[in-house]
Amino acid sequence: MTKHKNVLYKILSWYKKFQVSKSPQMNLVWGFFLYTVIGFLLLSIPIFHKTSVSFLDTLFISTSAISTTGLVTVSVYDSYNFFGQLIVMVLFQIGGIGYMTLTTYYLLFTTQKIGHWHKKVVGAEFTLPKTIKIRDFVKSVIVFTLIMEVIGAICFFIAFRQTGMETLKAVWFSVFHSVSAFCTAGFGLFNNSFESYSSNALINTIISVLAIAGSLGFIVITDLWYRITGKSNSVSFTTKIITYGFVILLFLGTTLVYFTEPSIRSSDSRLVESFFQAMTAMTTVGFNTISTGNLSLPILLFVTFLMYIGASPSGTAGGMKITTLTAMISILKSRLFGQKRISFLNRTIPFERLYVATSTFMMYTSIIFLFTFLLTFTERFEFQRILFEVASALGTVGLSTGITGDLSNTGKALTIVLMFIGRVGVLTFGFALLERKNKSKEESIEDDLAV
Amino acid sequence: MTKHKNVLYKILSWYKKFQVSKSPQMNLVWGFFLYTVIGFLLLSIPIFHKTSVSFLDTLFISTSAISTTGLVTVSVYDSYNFFGQLIVMVLFQIGGIGYMTLTTYYLLFTTQKIGHWHKKVVGAEFTLPKTIKIRDFVKSVIVFTLIMEVIGAICFFIAFRQTGMETLKAVWFSVFHSVSAFCTAGFGLFNNSFESYSSNALINTIISVLAIAGSLGFIVITDLWYRITGKSNSVSFTTKIITYGFVILLFLGTTLVYFTEPSIRSSDSRLVESFFQAMTAMTTVGFNTISTGNLSLPILLFVTFLMYIGASPSGTAGGMKITTLTAMISILKSRLFGQKRISFLNRTIPFERLYVATSTFMMYTSIIFLFTFLLTFTERFEFQRILFEVASALGTVGLSTGITGDLSNTGKALTIVLMFIGRVGVLTFGFALLERKNKSKEESIEDDLAV
Ligand SMILES: [K+]
Ligand SMILES: [K+]
């Protein structure tokens, strides 16, 4: 036993040294990579299987879970037994909380430059009292997450029981889908996602509330909460932008699907299904109630656009983020009106922020084009389906027109890389790639995770 | 006669007043619009027709000619007699020279703020002697154009005679195609463009030289010429960027087509055809020697990308321009390397330039997505063909997978708008739309045509 402890201690102390030698960006990349590998190893153990799963498919599921994407090449329910499914859930729970809290926590404690984040997270910009310590902040986030997931699970349980599901199965399905919805993971135990529940108002509501809360994130939600309950007179500029942007895009998406999508047959639940389609793309949760593969071309493109944008930078959602889009629109707007100062809603946006937004926009868009281009060489599917799959993987959404399982091995490998980049963040990934070349310049790249 | 002169004088003086009351951007838009309408009226006269052409198709051809796009819904050769074809040629000659010179000339003489352009065009940045007057500069451009077109026509004549074409026809075809190539108009009198000449080295060379010279433009060509002949020790930064970018993209495009395109059968002329395919997209001339509709999906996408970028801001080419791309890459590169200063090849790029580039990039990309989205509602073609058509129209390229003639009336109307915006320039168009709202701010928008 002592010997084992010794070995473990040595590995940990080696890893600690390794961490300290790397930039925060590189640490983040290695951290996600480590979790993916651990997930892969656990999911490879045959005792968790119902049927055998190939090497590449196991890596695919592990990456998909850690990145909270939810794309799968094989059915989770058909391939894994209860404990296998539990591991998948733990992985996307780690991935989900990871992005919202561990990332922040980690960056704060592996770098000495916590000034910016500290002020941003605990101080002036958001309405939390200044005295709260970082550790308490992270605790609050985790508590918030667990409370939401417990409430979600209870509601799911009621809903599933109403549909006649047996108790034990309903308990497990409730927990799994509640965590999956809040972490915007989109992993499901039904092989057709929520298509059987497309007109179930309660289930639609539960998923929507959880996914919106998760994707907007703790900071935005508490900011709005303090405003609504009157503990604060106003919300921060960032919260305002995210909320407005989210509501506008959600409204646009719902309206467009409602008035033009021919594949929705039912007229009773047409509005619910339209809302769900826009919501699932924007929050990047990735559950679906109508068949994505049957969507008409214009709607498929609009959903691709929504996945490309995503939601809030403080939540579990992927995508380019509403804040990036807003900064880009501000540049164009200010230019067209001949203004020297770049502003939005009468607030000047600092140069640094525009610089990050433009870089993110360029990097994100280039990666989508590059991978789509590569996949047109390796796959034989329609162009729009390939583009959709790429936007879904990079945005960690998990919607698919049904081609995921039929991807070539190269296609699966490229999708794994996309999900990984999508979760780590395009700029962080870029930095990590170039780390050797700019070691001395960490100072100026400290706040890149905010966009 | 006197009465007629009087009326004409009144119209002209009214137009003069109208011009003075508008911004340079609005004047440009109205100018192109006026030429389009005149072209439309002339081409509507039945004596120029071989067969009747509908109202919408006439407007389409007129816009396509003035914008030097070359997309056609009906065959020019089959629909118009010699004089009709002559009118089409005059229209794209006006369009072509227009963008390179008349635009500059016009902006210089309708605004009093010629400082920037004057310095840029005649002064320090390019290697022309400072004493040359603007009028002389414009004259030089026109003389350059005519000399190139005459030499081109003579070479074409030799080439066409070699293929056994009768003398009179060869004269007319030589003139028409020489002007069309230099103005990167892409209008042809053969109904399959240059597909019959795909392996004719002389014709490939003539078109390439004319189109590259025209698309790079007078300023870049003279700058390079002064350098090559030793009259100057160095070329300007702008010329360097444009030349490098052009050569790199041309090389990439040629290589990619050469090694991957399955639709090229002949192995003898494979390199020539690959080069031509990349060249025609980048210079936005739009002639083709291999069938665009038969290109494989990856190559079709890469050609779309090349059309999206285009070439030089000083020539007749459309597209977003290499300079815009370079500025965007600089932002990303500087960010990834953690540099505060945004530079390229060790030259700091001024903030104003980045601001224009980002706006152009956003506006250009948004217009492509918006119109593609709209066309997916009105047309029933494959997504990649619609995207290709939109990029071709906005980039004033004129390549098509063969769907132009089969577009719905709404589709044709949208394409007309795209070609018009493509020629006027996306930012100029944006300004003109918003003119009433920013009348007092002309000063800060003076140099937008340079990107
Ligand atoms: K997801
Ligand atoms: K053209």
Side-chain angles (χ1 to χ4, degrees):
Chain A
M1 268 319 262
T2 332
K3 202 186 164 195
H4 277 97
K5 265 191 184 167
N6 226 359
V7 170
L8 194 67
Y9 177 79
K10 269 189 184 167
I11 290 176
L12 279 175
S13 82
W14 172 83
Y15 188 67
K16 194 82 201 162
K17 263 189 208 161
F18 176 77
Q19 278 187 322
V20 174
S21 73
K22 298 286 176 188
S23 70
Q25 284 78 25
M26 201 63 180
N27 263 314
L28 194 65
V29 170
W30 279 109
F32 272 115
F33 182 72
L34 189 71
Y35 282 114
T36 308
V37 170
I38 293 172
F40 167 74
L41 293 175
L42 286 172
L43 290 174
S44 299
I45 302 171
I47 54 163
F48 299 134
H49 293 183
K50 281 181 186 167
T51 59
S52 82
V53 181
S54 79
F55 169 86
L56 195 59
D57 290 334
T58 310
L59 185 61
F60 197 101
I61 287 206
S62 172
T63 315
S64 184
I66 279 292
S67 66
T68 71
T69 305
L71 284 174
V72 286
T73 47
V74 296
S75 155
V76 171
Y77 189 75
D78 295 344
S79 310
Y80 294 96
N81 60 24
F82 168 73
F83 293 103
Q85 293 165 21
L86 185 65
I87 292 170
V88 172
M89 191 189 82
V90 171
L91 289 175
F92 62 68
Q93 173 77 87
I94 291 173
I97 303 193
Y99 202 58
M100 218 189 320
T101 65
L102 295 186
T103 312
T104 314
Y105 183 88
Y106 192 73
L107 277 175
L108 288 172
F109 286 87
T110 50
T111 66
Q112 296 307 309
K113 303 180 199 86
I114 62 167
H116 175 82
W117 265 103
H118 195 274
K119 249 202 288 177
K120 193 169 187 65
V121 171
V122 194
E125 191 159 358
F126 298 96
T127 51
L128 294 169
K130 280 194 184 174
T131 47
I132 293 183
K133 295 246 170 66
I134 294 298
R135 201 177 283 266
D136 290 339
F137 168 76
V138 173
K139 262 187 206 158
S140 311
V141 177
I142 294 175
V143 169
F144 168 70
T145 301
L146 293 178
I147 290 175
M148 289 298 291
E149 288 172 354
V150 167
I151 296 172
I154 293 168
C155 297
F156 259 127
F157 182 76
I158 295 166
F160 284 141
R161 286 293 291 157
Q162 275 178 1
T163 67
M165 197 185 278
E166 49 168 301
T167 312
L168 213 62
K169 187 180 173 187
V171 169
W172 174 228
F173 272 48
S174 299
V175 173
F176 189 93
H177 290 104
S178 178
V179 176
S180 185
F182 185 76
C183 294
T184 62
F187 273 88
L189 297 173
F190 305 105
N191 285 336
N192 64 349
S193 191
F194 282 87
E195 285 180 34
S196 313
Y197 303 93
S198 65
S199 58
N200 185 317
L202 181 54
I203 286 183
N204 271 273
T205 308
I206 300 167
I207 296 176
S208 301
V209 171
L210 286 172
I212 291 172
S215 73
L216 291 184
F218 176 71
I219 290 175
V220 172
I221 295 292
T222 47
D223 208 14
L224 288 173
W225 180 254
Y226 276 52
R227 177 70 189 85
I228 291 164
T229 57
K231 287 187 190 169
S232 157
N233 295 327
S234 63
V235 297
S236 75
F237 183 57
T238 306
T239 300
K240 205 181 272 176
I241 291 291
I242 292 168
T243 313
Y244 283 175
F246 190 82
V247 170
I248 291 170
L249 285 174
L250 198 57
F251 177 77
L252 263 182
T254 307
T255 311
L256 206 67
V257 177
Y258 186 81
F259 286 108
T260 71
E261 178 51 47
S263 78
I264 304 176
R265 291 283 147 68
S266 142
S267 60
D268 286 349
S269 58
R270 191 171 179 90
L271 187 61
V272 176
E273 292 175 33
S274 303
F275 174 83
F276 195 92
Q277 185 60 56
M279 183 282 298
T280 194
M282 284 202 64
T283 61
T284 75
V285 63
F287 286 130
N288 59 290
T289 57
I290 50 181
S291 163
T292 313
N294 291 339
L295 289 176
S296 64
L297 180 55
I299 295 301
L300 198 70
L301 293 180
F302 198 81
V303 172
T304 308
F305 172 72
L306 290 180
M307 297 194 299
Y308 170 67
I309 304 300
S312 156
S314 64
T316 58
M320 202 175 66
K321 319 298 184 206
I322 288 169
T323 41
T324 303
L325 179 69
T326 308
M328 296 305 288
I329 290 175
S330 308
I331 296 176
L332 182 58
K333 184 219 75 176
S334 300
R335 183 73 207 168
L336 288 182
F337 283 101
Q339 298 156 348
K340 286 272 174 202
R341 200 174 60 98
I342 294 171
S343 64
F344 199 81
L345 298 179
N346 281 326
R347 290 270 212 133
T348 300
I349 301 174
F351 175 73
E352 181 67 15
R353 185 66 54 212
L354 297 172
Y355 187 21
V356 174
T358 309
S359 307
T360 306
F361 182 84
M362 275 294 290
M363 189 87 178
Y364 201 92
T365 309
S366 307
I367 291 175
I368 288 199
F369 283 138
L370 177 66
F371 278 77
T372 302
F373 179 60
L374 292 176
L375 284 169
T376 57
F377 278 107
T378 65
E379 313 303 318
R380 286 272 155 260
F381 306 108
E382 284 175 302
F383 175 45
Q384 61 266 34
R385 288 173 192 265
I386 295 176
L387 179 66
F388 190 91
E389 197 81 5
V390 169
S392 178
L394 188 62
T396 70
V397 183
L399 290 170
S400 172
T401 57
I403 67 173
T404 321
D406 298 325
L407 287 172
S408 68
N409 283 347
T410 318
K412 285 179 186 175
L414 288 171
T415 310
I416 288 173
V417 175
L418 274 172
M419 293 190 290
F420 191 80
I421 299 175
R423 181 69 328 174
V424 169
V426 292
L427 277 194
T428 310
F429 184 77
F431 279 128
L433 276 187
L434 299 171
E435 188 177 30
R436 237 176 269 177
K437 297 180 184 165
N438 55 18
K439 263 206 169 154
S440 61
K441 286 153 191 162
E442 278 168 30
E443 202 161 341
S444 62
I445 55 181
E446 185 200 346
D447 63 345
D448 62 293
L449 283 170
V451 163
Chain B
M1 265 322 261
T2 332
K3 204 186 164 193
H4 276 97
K5 265 190 184 169
N6 225 359
V7 170
L8 194 70
Y9 177 79
K10 268 189 184 166
I11 290 175
L12 280 175
S13 82
W14 172 83
Y15 188 68
K16 193 82 201 164
K17 264 189 204 161
F18 175 78
Q19 279 187 322
V20 174
S21 72
K22 297 286 175 188
S23 70
Q25 284 79 25
M26 202 63 181
N27 262 314
L28 195 65
V29 171
W30 279 109
F32 272 115
F33 182 72
L34 189 69
Y35 282 114
T36 309
V37 169
I38 292 172
F40 167 72
L41 293 176
L42 285 173
L43 289 173
S44 299
I45 302 172
I47 53 163
F48 300 133
H49 294 183
K50 283 181 185 166
T51 59
S52 82
V53 182
S54 79
F55 170 86
L56 196 59
D57 290 333
T58 310
L59 185 62
F60 198 100
I61 287 206
S62 172
T63 314
S64 184
I66 278 292
S67 66
T68 71
T69 305
L71 285 174
V72 285
T73 47
V74 295
S75 156
V76 171
Y77 189 73
D78 295 345
S79 308
Y80 293 96
N81 59 26
F82 168 73
F83 293 103
Q85 294 165 20
L86 185 66
I87 291 170
V88 172
M89 190 191 83
V90 170
L91 288 176
F92 62 67
Q93 173 77 86
I94 290 172
I97 303 193
Y99 202 57
M100 218 190 316
T101 64
L102 295 186
T103 313
T104 314
Y105 184 88
Y106 191 73
L107 278 174
L108 289 172
F109 287 88
T110 51
T111 66
Q112 296 307 309
K113 302 179 200 84
I114 62 168
H116 176 80
W117 264 103
H118 195 273
K119 247 201 290 179
K120 193 170 187 66
V121 171
V122 192
E125 191 158 357
F126 298 97
T127 52
L128 294 170
K130 280 194 185 175
T131 46
I132 292 184
K133 294 245 171 65
I134 294 298
R135 199 178 282 266
D136 291 338
F137 168 76
V138 173
K139 262 188 207 157
S140 311
V141 178
I142 294 176
V143 169
F144 169 70
T145 303
L146 294 178
I147 290 174
M148 290 297 291
E149 287 172 355
V150 167
I151 296 172
I154 293 168
C155 297
F156 258 128
F157 182 76
I158 295 165
F160 283 142
R161 285 294 290 159
Q162 275 177 1
T163 68
M165 195 184 280
E166 49 167 303
T167 313
L168 212 64
K169 189 179 173 188
V171 170
W172 173 229
F173 272 48
S174 299
V175 172
F176 189 94
H177 290 104
S178 178
V179 175
S180 185
F182 185 76
C183 294
T184 63
F187 273 90
L189 297 174
F190 306 104
N191 284 336
N192 64 348
S193 192
F194 281 87
E195 285 180 35
S196 313
Y197 303 93
S198 66
S199 58
N200 186 318
L202 181 55
I203 286 182
N204 271 272
T205 309
I206 299 167
I207 296 176
S208 301
V209 171
L210 286 173
I212 291 173
S215 74
L216 291 184
F218 177 70
I219 290 174
V220 172
I221 295 291
T222 46
D223 208 14
L224 288 173
W225 180 252
Y226 276 53
R227 178 73 189 83
I228 291 165
T229 56
K231 287 189 190 166
S232 158
N233 296 326
S234 64
V235 297
S236 75
F237 183 57
T238 306
T239 299
K240 205 181 271 174
I241 292 291
I242 291 168
T243 312
Y244 283 174
F246 191 82
V247 170
I248 291 168
L249 286 174
L250 198 57
F251 177 79
L252 264 182
T254 306
T255 312
L256 206 68
V257 177
Y258 185 82
F259 286 108
T260 72
E261 179 52 45
S263 78
I264 303 178
R265 292 283 147 69
S266 143
S267 60
D268 287 347
S269 57
R270 192 173 179 88
L271 187 61
V272 175
E273 291 176 34
S274 301
F275 174 83
F276 196 91
Q277 185 61 55
M279 184 282 297
T280 195
M282 284 202 64
T283 62
T284 75
V285 61
F287 286 130
N288 59 291
T289 57
I290 50 180
S291 163
T292 312
N294 291 340
L295 290 175
S296 64
L297 180 55
I299 295 301
L300 198 70
L301 293 181
F302 198 81
V303 173
T304 308
F305 171 72
L306 290 179
M307 296 195 298
Y308 170 66
I309 303 300
S312 155
S314 64
T316 57
M320 204 175 65
K321 320 298 183 202
I322 289 170
T323 41
T324 303
L325 179 71
T326 308
M328 297 304 288
I329 290 175
S330 309
I331 296 176
L332 181 58
K333 184 219 75 176
S334 301
R335 182 74 207 171
L336 287 182
F337 283 102
Q339 297 155 349
K340 286 273 175 201
R341 198 174 61 97
I342 293 169
S343 63
F344 199 82
L345 300 179
N346 281 325
R347 290 271 210 130
T348 301
I349 300 175
F351 175 72
E352 181 67 14
R353 185 67 54 215
L354 298 170
Y355 186 21
V356 174
T358 310
S359 307
T360 305
F361 182 84
M362 277 293 290
M363 189 85 179
Y364 201 92
T365 310
S366 307
I367 291 175
I368 287 199
F369 283 139
L370 178 65
F371 277 78
T372 302
F373 180 60
L374 292 176
L375 283 169
T376 58
F377 277 108
T378 64
E379 314 302 318
R380 286 271 156 260
F381 306 110
E382 284 175 300
F383 176 44
Q384 61 266 33
R385 289 173 191 266
I386 294 175
L387 180 65
F388 190 91
E389 196 79 5
V390 168
S392 178
L394 188 61
T396 70
V397 183
L399 290 169
S400 172
T401 58
I403 67 172
T404 321
D406 299 325
L407 287 171
S408 69
N409 283 346
T410 318
K412 286 179 186 175
L414 288 171
T415 309
I416 289 173
V417 174
L418 274 171
M419 295 190 289
F420 190 80
I421 298 176
R423 180 71 325 176
V424 168
V426 292
L427 277 194
T428 309
F429 184 75
F431 279 128
L433 276 186
L434 298 170
E435 187 179 29
R436 237 177 270 174
K437 295 177 184 168
N438 55 20
K439 262 205 169 156
S440 60
K441 284 152 191 161
E442 279 168 30
E443 204 162 338
S444 63
I445 56 182
E446 187 199 346
D447 64 344
D448 61 294
L449 282 170
V451 164

